[in-house]
Amino acid sequence: MRLILVSIVVAAGLVWCGSPTFAREAGPAEHGPPTHKHLLTTVEKVQSGLVFFKPAAGLEHRAVSVHKAERMGLNEAKAGDEVILVIDESNMLIDLHRKGTQPAGHRLIAGKLTYADPFWEVIEITNAEGKQTFAMDDAAGSKLSMLKEGNLVRAELNEDNMVVDIALTH
């Protein structure tokens, strides 16, 4: 089981898929990880269902599926397109959009992690608003291995109410 888990984490590192971020600022009880890095780069090529990005200062080779890029608003990507990649504190790609395009709206939610399914696809967070269930983005799901039910967490949701980032709150 450990070998499979390590393989999944390593494979996730080869093709970084992400979802938009840009959540509004959280309240004092929702302080999360450090600010995400915004890196300007260009599309190197689009091949085999993947969009490849040129390395830039602070950025190694990255790629995202064409499907996911389109879901984030990068439609009909072609070599030479300037894009902004948003990288989280774990060096994971969690957002991308064309240079000059306004990112989509996102939000933060804080509360107690009351359920995380064993396949990292769904979580439940309970707070003053009650129990809420959210789907997990594939890349964000791996962060659940560091969390336990009962932990206080801050989750970042994209416009589809999917968790794209999650971390302990203090």
Side-chain angles (χ1 to χ4, degrees):
M1 182 64 180
R2 278 187 157 210
L3 180 58
I4 292 171
L5 178 59
V6 170
S7 298
I8 291 170
V9 171
V10 169
L14 295 177
V15 178
W16 296 92
C17 299
S19 295
T21 182
F22 294 93
R24 59 184 153 78
E25 286 298 316
E30 298 176 356
H31 287 315
T35 305
H36 299 140
K37 294 184 284 186
H38 297 246
L39 305 173
L40 176 65
T41 188
T42 57
V43 173
E44 185 171 38
K45 63 183 174 181
V46 179
Q47 181 180 358
S48 302
L50 296 172
V51 178
F52 294 87
F53 304 103
K54 289 185 180 179
L59 177 69
E60 297 178 14
H61 286 281
R62 296 285 172 121
V64 66
S65 72
V66 170
H67 173 73
K68 200 154 208 169
E70 288 175 349
R71 190 177 72 181
M72 290 186 269
L74 184 62
N75 297 310
E76 299 178 18
K78 59 186 179 306
D81 287 349
E82 288 188 301
V83 295
I84 296 176
L85 304 179
V86 180
I87 310 297
D88 75 0
E89 71 285 351
S90 300
N91 203 29
M92 293 179 65
L93 174 66
I94 59 172
D95 184 23
L96 81 113
H97 58 276
R98 288 186 199 280
K99 180 182 173 186
T101 302
Q102 193 71 333
H106 297 258
R107 64 188 181 105
L108 297 175
I109 182 170
K112 185 185 292 187
L113 180 65
T114 50
Y115 174 76
D117 102 90
F119 299 106
W120 301 342
E121 294 177 351
V122 176
I123 64 166
E124 181 180 84
I125 295 176
T126 302
N127 60 17
E129 297 173 11
K131 290 183 181 183
Q132 300 177 61
T133 302
F134 304 99
M136 294 290 298
D137 179 81
D138 294 341
S142 64
K143 293 182 178 188
L144 289 174
S145 65
M146 306 302 275
L147 303 174
K148 296 178 183 164
E149 290 179 8
N151 286 150
L152 294 178
V153 297
R154 185 214 48 136
E156 187 170 345
L157 307 171
N158 68 10
E159 65 278 358
D160 295 326
N161 254 1
M162 180 176 281
V163 176
V164 294
D165 197 12
I166 188 166
L168 285 171
T169 59
H170 304 306

